[in-house]
Amino acid sequence: MEYPSVMTPREIVSELDRYIVGQHDAKRAVAIALRNRWRRQNVAPDLRDEIAPKNILMIGPTGVGKTEIARRLAKLAQAPFVKVEASRYTEVGYVGRDVESMIRDLAEIAVKMVRDEERERVKVKAKEAAEERLLDILYPASPGKTRRLAAAEGGVQSADHNSHGETREKLRKLLRDGYLNDREVEVEMTSQATPMLEVLTPQGMEEMGANMKDILSQIMPKKSRQRKVKVPEALELLAQEEAARLVDMENVAREAVHRAEQSGIVFIDEIDKIAGRESARGPDVSREGVQRDLLPIVEGSTVNTKYGAVRTDHILFVASGAFHTSKPSDLIPEFQGRFPIRVELKPLTQPDFVRILTEPENALTRQYVALLETENVHISFTDDAISALADIAAQVNARSENIGARRLHTVLERLVEELSFNAPELTGQTIPIDAAYVHQRLDPIVRNEDLSRYIL
């Protein structure tokens, strides 16, 4: 498989630094794992299949960036990526879902990625075909007139044909220049009929119901309907239909399976929820049972999907958990052995909160500034306001549950609540947010510990 772009580990870490503050060790680990993907592709074929991915186990409290690191990594790799919760999977037949469903989800995402790429590749051709169909609707040829002229001299028929072609080209120019945008046309859209029924399946076998629906929809005939829309929307609808016709779904499925196998990333969150030995304190979902169900997938097995069999031998698995009440050593030995890279993420401190509020490209303060700009209300955060916000977030985390950077969301939302509500009446105003404003809005809540736990 050809990778769209291959970054060095240093470049990957630098790119992750744009969105995630700190956690250098975790960034290095995932950067090496991603680079090893490319290295493996350049190894001799006889050894390539023997090189297994180095799965990663991230250990750290909630809200420190574990999920964000994995999500950004998948974007950098332009790879199929799926995030799942470990507690969602339990032994089949009890509650929860079959563990193989994560690989089916990965295959679905890979198919969508490849299909979108293929549609982008045929975009120009599809637009041209859609334009021709729209011109046929706007200025159809008159078969009756052509038949009448067939009996006449050939020159007259030729002149009529030329006249039709010239008019069509003039209409094409008007269409491209936007002069026909306000005109409504009636287009015929073809769609696959979907059965209006619900397939009930036992717990853990939801995919069987989805597959049954797909089979029924393929058996049922396609239906067409007329839609009256304006010219730009008609062009877009026709282009989508033409692109779907130009894309070979068999090739898409084949490439998607290959991509899922060779570059797929599965992020298993809350892995600590299935760690811990069996409890004798009453009925409980078998935690070791979930681990043993997950083990074949992580070790390498074949999962049947509706796009074909997907081998999991070279899928990269990244697991994460807070491990507040358990330890990584509480996982069964076989499962531990499949995650050779261990990374501990550090809890966030007040200086980290200051950096999170100012440094990333998608910093929360920038988001709130942009949101209120839409109402023509200009707000700005002073340095002492940022410091005060970071102090309050650190205080609340220390006193109640430590939820890391997620605390900044609740603190900032409470801070700008009044401004957000009154924004339509404040149009054109510039409002600086300083430390005094922060303390005025948040101190009464922070001082009252019970209220603070309830609101922040």
Side-chain angles (χ1 to χ4, degrees):
M1 174 182 168
E2 291 291 327
Y3 279 89
S5 59
V6 180
M7 302 171 77
T8 66
R10 198 177 301 279
E11 288 170 341
I12 294 167
V13 170
S14 175
E15 191 67 22
L16 292 173
D17 282 340
R18 292 171 56 198
Y19 300 98
I20 303 149
V21 167
Q23 314 302 357
H24 190 66
D25 291 345
K27 290 173 185 173
R28 281 172 63 96
V30 296
I32 292 166
L34 186 58
R35 182 69 175 185
N36 279 340
R37 284 288 183 83
W38 174 79
R39 290 169 180 155
R40 179 179 160 270
Q41 296 299 319
N42 291 284
V43 170
D46 57 336
L47 188 58
R48 186 183 304 161
D49 289 339
E50 302 298 323
I51 300 173
K54 305 299 182 284
N55 297 327
I56 301 166
L57 177 62
M58 293 186 189
I59 305 156
T62 186
V64 296
K66 301 188 294 291
T67 306
E68 189 66 11
I69 285 173
R71 196 166 63 83
R72 294 286 173 188
L73 183 74
K75 277 192 176 181
L76 291 180
Q78 297 182 30
F81 172 79
V82 65
K83 175 185 179 291
V84 298
E85 305 284 332
S87 51
R88 173 188 185 188
Y89 302 100
T90 59
E91 288 172 300
V92 179
Y94 193 68
V95 290
R97 296 186 66 189
D98 175 12
V99 291
E100 291 185 352
S101 62
M102 68 172 74
I103 305 302
R104 296 190 187 102
D105 292 343
L106 188 70
E108 289 284 353
I109 289 163
V111 165
K112 183 180 182 304
M113 282 180 68
V114 177
R115 185 173 59 225
D116 289 348
E117 287 171 13
E118 286 298 303
R119 285 185 175 179
E120 190 63 30
R121 192 175 59 80
V122 299
K123 187 177 177 180
V124 174
K125 198 178 288 186
K127 194 170 180 181
E128 288 172 358
E131 195 177 74
E132 294 300 327
R133 281 180 64 184
L134 188 57
L135 288 171
D136 287 341
I137 295 167
L138 290 167
Y139 187 59
S142 175
K145 189 175 182 181
T146 306
R147 279 197 299 270
R148 284 197 305 273
L149 289 170
E153 296 178 5
V156 176
Q157 188 177 352
S158 175
D160 181 71
H161 180 74
N162 289 341
S163 172
H164 183 274
E166 286 172 12
T167 308
R168 189 181 174 93
E169 288 307 311
K170 286 177 184 175
L171 204 58
R172 190 193 304 277
K173 190 172 186 313
L174 290 171
L175 176 64
R176 289 178 176 175
D177 291 343
Y179 291 110
L180 305 177
N181 285 357
D182 292 332
R183 183 168 174 177
E184 283 194 338
V185 292
E186 201 171 67
V187 292
E188 185 178 352
M189 302 303 299
T190 305
S191 61
Q192 188 74 45
T194 52
M196 298 298 290
L197 56 92
E198 193 65 37
V199 181
L200 298 175
T201 55
Q203 280 185 327
M205 302 181 73
E206 294 88 347
E207 283 76 17
M208 186 187 292
N211 291 341
M212 188 66 71
K213 277 188 173 182
D214 286 340
I215 292 167
L216 289 172
S217 66
Q218 288 170 14
I219 293 171
M220 294 179 76
K222 289 187 176 181
K223 60 177 182 180
S224 59
R225 60 192 178 97
Q226 298 287 340
R227 282 188 64 185
K228 199 164 189 179
V229 293
K230 292 200 171 179
V231 164
E233 189 181 348
L235 195 60
E236 183 65 29
L237 290 170
L238 292 170
Q240 287 175 10
E241 201 171 271
E242 290 298 324
R245 285 178 186 167
L246 290 168
V247 171
D248 184 346
M249 282 308 295
E250 284 188 13
N251 284 338
V252 166
R254 193 161 49 245
E255 171 63 21
V257 167
H258 179 71
R259 194 173 295 192
E261 289 180 337
Q262 301 300 321
S263 67
I265 299 174
V266 176
F267 182 75
I268 307 175
D269 204 1
E270 308 292 350
I271 200 76
D272 56 319
K273 299 297 186 293
I274 60 165
R277 299 301 175 187
E278 293 303 315
S279 171
R281 290 177 296 178
D284 189 15
V285 174
S286 169
R287 295 178 178 185
E288 285 194 14
V290 182
Q291 293 179 55
R292 293 190 189 282
D293 281 350
L294 283 168
L295 190 59
I297 304 291
V298 179
E299 279 183 334
S301 59
T302 302
V303 176
N304 288 318
T305 73
K306 62 183 177 184
Y307 304 107
V310 176
R311 288 196 59 80
T312 66
D313 300 66
H314 299 290
I315 292 173
L316 177 67
F317 290 89
V318 182
S320 81
F323 289 97
H324 288 311
T325 57
S326 57
K327 307 181 293 296
S329 57
D330 289 335
L331 294 164
I332 60 174
E334 300 92 331
F335 198 73
Q336 287 182 53
R338 290 293 162 183
F339 290 86
I341 301 174
R342 307 268 179 96
V343 184
E344 187 172 356
L345 284 83
K346 299 174 181 65
L348 298 172
T349 60
Q350 193 268 357
D352 291 327
F353 287 147
V354 171
R355 292 180 60 197
I356 289 167
L357 287 169
T358 53
E359 289 183 14
E361 293 197 4
N362 59 341
L364 280 175
T365 49
R366 292 179 189 173
Q367 292 178 28
Y368 280 103
V369 168
L371 283 171
L372 288 172
E373 285 280 356
T374 61
E375 302 265 13
N376 197 23
V377 177
H378 314 288
I379 64 169
S380 60
F381 291 86
T382 62
D383 291 343
D384 59 350
I386 298 288
S387 183
L389 281 167
D391 279 336
I392 289 168
Q395 279 179 44
V396 179
N397 270 351
R399 282 201 324 226
S400 56
E401 193 70 29
N402 185 355
I403 59 170
R406 293 192 180 97
R407 186 71 67 190
L408 293 172
H409 288 268
T410 57
V411 169
L412 262 168
E413 192 57 42
R414 175 58 57 172
L415 177 72
V416 301
E417 181 187 37
E418 192 75 22
L419 286 174
S420 294
F421 186 81
N422 295 321
E425 289 85 48
L426 300 174
T427 300
Q429 293 189 31
T430 300
I431 301 165
I433 295 178
D434 55 14
Y437 184 88
V438 172
H439 290 303
Q440 177 196 340
R441 291 283 304 153
L442 299 177
D443 276 0
I445 300 169
V446 175
R447 278 198 295 267
N448 185 333
E449 198 163 325
D450 290 336
L451 192 62
S452 173
R453 286 183 178 181
Y454 181 71
I455 294 177
L456 300 180

